[in-house]
Amino acid sequence: MNDLIKLLSIKKPIIQAPMAGGAVTPSLASAVSSAGGLGSLASGYLHPDAVETQLLEMKQQTDRPFQVNLFVPKEEEAPSGEQVQRWKELIPHANRARPFTSIQEEWQDFYQKVDLLVEHRVRICSFTFDLPPEDAVKKLKDVGCILLGTACSPEEALLMEERGMDAVVLQGKEAGGHQGAFLPASKPVELRALITETADRIGIPVIAAGGITDEKDVRKALALGAQCVQVGTAFLVCKESAAHHVHKQKIFTASASDTRLTKVFSGKEARGIVNAWMEENKHREQDVLPYPYLNTLTKPMRQEAATRNDPSHMSLWAGQGAGRLSKEMNVKELMEKLWNSKGT
Ligand SMILES: Cc1cc2nc3c(=O)[nH]c(=O)nc-3n(C[C@H](O)[C@H](O)[C@H](O)COP(=O)(O)O)c2cc1C
C-alpha cells in the first residue's frame, strides 16, 4: 500500500476522473467509491445548489471517501466586439447563448462551492485550470480536507506543490476532455514523459491521467512513479454514466487516431472525437475566443445537437484510450479490469 492510497483511504489505486458536463452522477461516483476506488463529483458548470444536492445524494449512497472537483476561474483578456460577432455568425444557434459571466461572478461561484465543501466536511477536493487561491487552500486545509491539483508540465506540478497540494494529477496529452494547463508556456506532453520528467522533481505523490483503460496501463503508470491513476473516458462509457448514448457509441467505434486536441468548442484545448464542427473550423484553431467566451457561445449548438442525437456538433470528449473501449460495462466490472490484484 503506498502513501497516497493510505492518505485517500481507498483500496485500489484508481480515481474516477471528475467529468463536468453531465456524465458524472452520484450513482457513478458512489459505485466507484464502493468498489474501493475514489469516486469524484464534478462541480464545473453546476450551480452550487446542484452541487449540494449531489453531495447529499452521494453521502446517502456510500460511506466511502469521495472527492469534489472545482474549476479555478482564470481571468482572460476579453475578446473584442468584432471578434465575438464573427464567431456568433459562424456558430449555429449562438443567438440563444446566455450573456457572458463576469470574472467576479465566477469567483463568487467558486467560493460558494468552497464554503459548501467546508460545511459538508468533504474529505478530498481537487482543482483544475489554475492554482487554487491561497485563502481557499487555507479554508479547506483548516477542516482537514486533502487537496489535489492538476498539472500538465513539471513547472506546473512544482507550483502545485508550493501552493500546498497533497498530491498532483499529471495530465498527459492523451487525456480526454480539457487540458488543465495554466502556464502559457505549457504544451501538451505524453503522459509517460510527463511522469518521468516530474516524479523525481517533486515531493508530493503523483496521480497519472490520460489514456488509461486497463490494468496493464495502470501498472505502467505506477512503474514510472505514479501512486494512483485517474481514469475518465473508460468510466464515461460505463452503464452508470449519464453521458449521451450517442457520445458513448462514438467512443465504442472510435480508434485512438479519431481523437484530436481542439479549441474550437470552448476556447481551451480539449481532446475529443473529430466531428464536422472540428473539421469545418480546423483553420480557426489559432483565432478562437478565449475560454469561457467560446464555450458560452457554442453551448446552444451543442445542446441542440444532443437533442437531435446528432454527433456532428456535440463535443465528443474522449481520450486516446477510446480505441480500446468497445463495450458497455458496469463500474464494478471496469474496476476489476483496472485493478484485479489482491492487495496493493
Ligand atoms: C467528458 C470529460 C469531462 C472532464 N471534465 C473534467 C473536470 O470537470 N475536471 C477535471 O479536473 N478534469 C476533467 N476531465 C479530465 C479528466 O480529469 C482526466 O484528466 C481525463 O479524463 C483522463 O484521460 P482519459 O479520459 O483518457 O482517461 C474531463 C474529461 C472528460 C473525458
Side-chain angles (χ1 to χ4, degrees):
M1 186 184 284
N2 64 42
D3 295 347
L4 186 58
I5 287 179
K6 245 189 262 170
L7 182 71
L8 301 175
S9 307
I10 53 179
K11 298 197 172 97
K12 297 183 172 194
I14 312 294
I15 299 175
Q16 162 248 316
M19 290 180 280
V24 173
T25 58
S27 47
L28 174 75
S30 64
V32 176
S33 292
S34 300
L38 185 71
S40 309
L41 294 177
S43 81
Y45 313 130
L46 290 183
H47 187 277
D49 292 346
V51 178
E52 185 165 35
T53 306
Q54 287 204 356
L55 263 175
L56 295 172
E57 270 179 52
M58 189 74 188
K59 283 186 171 177
Q60 276 186 344
Q61 291 175 20
T62 186
D63 55 8
R64 303 294 310 152
F66 63 90
Q67 65 151 330
V68 178
N69 177 256
L70 302 178
F71 285 181
V72 181
K74 197 164 171 58
E75 185 153 25
E76 297 287 348
E77 198 182 323
S80 69
E82 203 184 302
Q83 233 189 333
V84 171
Q85 192 51 37
R86 232 181 316 129
W87 275 97
K88 272 190 171 168
E89 282 163 19
L90 279 172
I91 304 170
H93 313 295
N95 56 338
R96 301 209 307 251
R98 61 169 168 71
F100 296 130
T101 42
S102 67
I103 188 75
Q104 290 79 8
E105 287 168 317
E106 284 184 45
W107 279 118
Q108 197 183 358
D109 174 88
F110 174 84
Y111 281 107
Q112 274 180 7
K113 289 172 183 170
V114 169
D115 289 343
L116 261 183
L117 303 202
V118 169
E119 186 188 325
H120 289 277
R121 292 289 191 269
V122 171
R123 283 195 253 173
I124 306 157
C125 168
S126 68
F127 303 96
T128 190
F129 295 160
D130 208 348
L131 286 168
E134 281 169 5
D135 57 353
V137 169
K138 181 170 181 330
K139 238 182 188 178
L140 289 161
K141 286 210 154 188
D142 282 350
V143 292
C145 189
I146 297 162
L147 304 182
L148 316 175
T150 305
C152 297
S153 68
E155 293 72 25
E156 291 181 349
L158 280 163
L159 290 174
M160 284 293 173
E161 179 175 19
E162 263 174 48
R163 188 48 60 97
M165 298 299 103
D166 296 290
V168 65
V169 179
L170 292 182
Q171 192 187 32
K173 73 185 239 195
E174 302 91 333
H178 284 101
Q179 290 276 301
F182 56 90
L183 292 177
S186 287
K187 296 271 175 297
V189 185
E190 271 171 25
L191 182 61
R192 187 187 174 85
L194 185 57
I195 304 175
T196 314
E197 278 182 38
T198 313
D200 292 343
R201 288 177 62 186
I202 58 173
I204 51 174
V206 160
I207 298 159
I212 292 169
T213 63
D214 60 22
E215 184 159 348
K216 206 159 66 184
D217 297 334
V218 178
R219 289 202 168 274
K220 273 191 219 159
L222 299 194
L224 289 170
Q227 294 197 12
C228 282
V229 298
Q230 179 156 299
V231 178
T233 308
F235 281 109
L236 187 141
V237 292
C238 276
K239 283 203 176 86
E240 293 89 338
S241 150
H244 196 291
H245 64 94
V246 168
H247 191 173
K248 290 186 179 179
Q249 219 41 53
K250 290 298 280 184
I251 291 174
F252 291 139
T253 52
S255 61
S257 59
D258 291 331
T259 72
R260 188 166 81 209
L261 285 165
T262 182
K263 291 186 186 172
V264 300
F265 278 106
S266 71
K268 198 190 267 298
E269 206 138 53
R271 183 174 293 279
I273 296 172
V274 177
N275 62 1
W277 179 250
M278 279 164 71
E279 281 296 80
E280 284 159 18
N281 293 290
K282 208 157 64 178
H283 59 292
R284 297 192 176 93
E285 288 283 354
Q286 302 312 318
D287 183 35
V288 290
L289 305 179
Y291 182 92
Y293 296 93
L294 191 56
N295 201 49
T296 302
L297 290 189
T298 62
K299 190 173 177 187
M301 170 187 88
R302 291 180 278 120
Q303 284 177 330
E304 181 70 26
T307 308
R308 293 170 187 271
N309 297 323
D310 171 11
S312 70
H313 287 71
M314 290 163 66
S315 47
L316 303 167
W317 301 142
Q320 284 187 329
R324 288 176 288 128
L325 297 165
S326 54
K327 69 172 180 40
E328 199 174 51
M329 293 184 203
N330 61 36
V331 164
K332 197 161 169 275
E333 288 163 333
L334 176 59
M335 286 295 291
E336 289 288 312
K337 185 180 163 207
L338 289 167
W339 196 258
N340 195 13
S341 315
K342 300 274 170 277
T344 50

